[in-house]
Amino acid sequence: MKKIESIGVITTGGDAPGMNTAIRAVVRTGIYYGMRVFGIFRGWRGLVENHIFQMDLASVGNILNRGGTILHTARYPEFKQKRQKDIAMKNLKEKGIQGLVVIGGDGSLRASAALYNEYKLPIVNVPASIDNDIPGTDYTIGYDTAVNTAVEAIDKIRDTATSHERLFIVQVMGRGSGSIAIDVGLVSGAEGVIVPEYKFDLDKLAKSLLDGKKRGKRSFIIVVAEGAGSGQDIGEKLAHKTGLDVRVSVLGHMQRGGSPSALSREYACKLGCHAVELLKDGKGGRMVGIKSDHYTSTPIAKVLTMKKKIDTESYRISHILSI
Ligand code: F6P
């Protein structure tokens, strides 16, 4: 295989804290190995619209601790079309870019698979999403930060919930995945966790809340994953079933922002570096990841056939401790 002398780096899909740390790792590793590194601005849309510029060491100075992505990102479903991908490939070719590092979530994997299979572009994916919903890696960049952000918010909500003796329904992000809700529920001491992966029984939950009240509990928190239904609906039903004074809090996009945690930064540094090294060694079509504390890589085609496992142990223990 021809030696790769020039690579691109792009962030796609929803942003995640640690994306900047990963961009820095990619740029610095590329330059370390004597490559030219190009940034692609505004995700797949920017690639099609030709917003591509060369990056140097200084362009990634002082960004590792910053939330968001300096390359910006976009939801761009149009990239499924062949015409858009043809234009993207032409733009890469014109700049002499021979390989691509894609930092993003599950949507980016499908686009990357198409570029790798249909256009033979050497491409390596770095999993970054607050949802932690990507198989082939135990953790995604940004997940740990989002969990910490939600926990900090719930600790504050607990204060007011206790003062007013209320039940709070806290809706956290996670379109199709209950990962954030399960971890947050466990470590914030929630009285219940509702996620799309498990059936839940509102009558049982209402009874356990009332039992808790009889024993002297003064505040209640139920964490609901976005993908499990509307926090508002669940709140109304629980108010009716329990007679408790209920409030609903939707944490929303605050979970996507903020300075990345030490763990999100560590994953980003290592996964970004590994991604470039794979390209250097001619190993495209792969996604880097962390499995049982080891840094690995898996063919993107395989990742797309896998299903992410939920943390059943956290869910089980959270249920026991929520008594
Ligand atoms: O990036 C993942 C995520 O934050 C999901 O948890 C959420 O459902 C979705 O993105 C929201 O996307 P957008 O910001 O495009 O509305």
Side-chain angles (χ1 to χ4, degrees):
M1 206 187 104
K2 228 173 97 193
K3 187 171 175 267
I4 291 193
E5 287 166 346
S6 184
I7 60 170
V9 57
I10 185 168
T11 49
T12 62
D15 61 351
M19 276 185 162
N20 279 329
T21 322
I23 294 168
R24 170 182 176 271
V26 170
V27 172
R28 296 212 165 169
T29 307
I31 292 172
Y32 177 86
Y33 286 115
M35 299 172 183
R36 286 187 304 152
V37 185
F38 289 86
I40 294 150
F41 191 70
R42 217 174 278 134
W44 299 121
R45 174 187 289 281
L47 180 53
V48 171
E49 293 173 359
N50 212 4
H51 292 167
I52 305 174
F53 59 99
Q54 190 165 351
M55 299 182 82
D56 56 19
L57 293 174
S59 60
V60 291
N62 285 329
I63 66 162
L64 108 164
N65 58 336
R66 281 171 50 195
T69 158
I70 59 160
L71 290 177
H72 292 201
T73 181
R75 303 280 188 199
Y76 189 58
E78 293 87 340
F79 201 60
K80 288 194 188 96
Q81 293 161 27
K82 182 175 178 311
R83 202 178 96 80
Q84 259 61 21
K85 288 195 279 263
D86 285 346
I87 299 170
M89 287 306 298
K90 181 176 105 355
N91 292 341
L92 287 173
K93 208 168 168 200
E94 271 173 17
K95 290 275 186 317
I97 297 173
Q98 302 156 293
L100 197 60
V101 176
V102 179
I103 303 166
D106 54 348
S108 352
L109 280 167
R110 281 183 284 276
S112 299
L115 292 181
Y116 180 69
N117 295 329
E118 294 160 28
Y119 299 85
K120 309 295 166 224
L121 176 72
I123 197 158
V124 175
N125 273 67
V126 175
S129 163
I130 63 158
D131 286 358
N132 201 29
D133 57 350
I134 304 178
T137 185
D138 293 343
Y139 296 105
T140 50
I141 294 167
Y143 173 65
D144 180 67
T145 312
V147 166
N148 278 295
T149 301
V151 168
E152 202 185 321
I154 292 179
D155 285 349
K156 290 177 178 158
I157 289 174
R158 179 70 80 177
D159 291 343
T160 174
T162 306
S163 305
H164 287 264
E165 304 190 13
R166 281 175 172 161
L167 161 62
F168 266 83
I169 311 297
V170 182
Q171 185 177 308
V172 297
M173 271 193 166
R175 198 174 3 218
S177 161
S179 263
I180 295 181
I182 288 176
D183 274 356
V184 163
L186 174 70
V187 303
S188 63
E191 277 68 28
V193 177
I194 298 178
V195 292
E197 291 86 351
Y198 289 105
K199 282 204 180 118
F200 65 96
D201 183 333
L202 271 193
D203 288 318
K204 257 193 187 166
L205 183 55
K207 182 174 177 316
S208 94
L209 295 176
L210 290 176
D211 286 348
K213 192 177 174 204
K214 268 189 218 138
R215 289 194 318 268
K217 273 205 184 194
R218 290 291 167 257
S219 66
F220 307 89
I221 306 261
I222 305 294
V223 178
V224 179
E226 180 188 6
S230 138
Q232 193 61 40
D233 284 355
I234 293 168
E236 279 166 23
K237 286 182 185 143
L238 281 176
H240 181 69
K241 286 177 193 296
T242 61
L244 289 166
D245 188 14
V246 178
R247 293 292 185 274
V248 179
S249 184
V250 178
L251 297 190
H253 286 79
M254 66 176 293
Q255 293 159 98
R256 286 234 299 256
S259 178
S261 67
L263 206 52
S264 290
R265 293 182 201 193
E266 182 186 336
Y267 293 159
C269 288
K270 292 181 177 171
L271 294 175
C273 175
H274 280 295
V276 177
E277 289 181 333
L278 281 179
L279 281 180
K280 178 180 81 62
D281 296 340
K283 293 182 187 148
R286 303 185 77 83
M287 185 191 83
V288 288
I290 311 130
K291 285 193 203 156
S292 310
D293 286 335
H294 287 92
Y295 287 80
T296 59
S297 73
T298 313
I300 295 171
K302 186 168 175 210
V303 176
L304 288 173
T305 66
M306 292 158 71
K307 204 170 161 10
K308 179 82 175 182
K309 289 202 188 92
I310 198 82
D311 186 346
T312 49
E313 192 60 356
S314 287
Y315 186 74
R316 187 182 75 82
I317 294 175
S318 158
H319 182 68
I320 293 173
L321 303 186
S322 69
I323 190 170

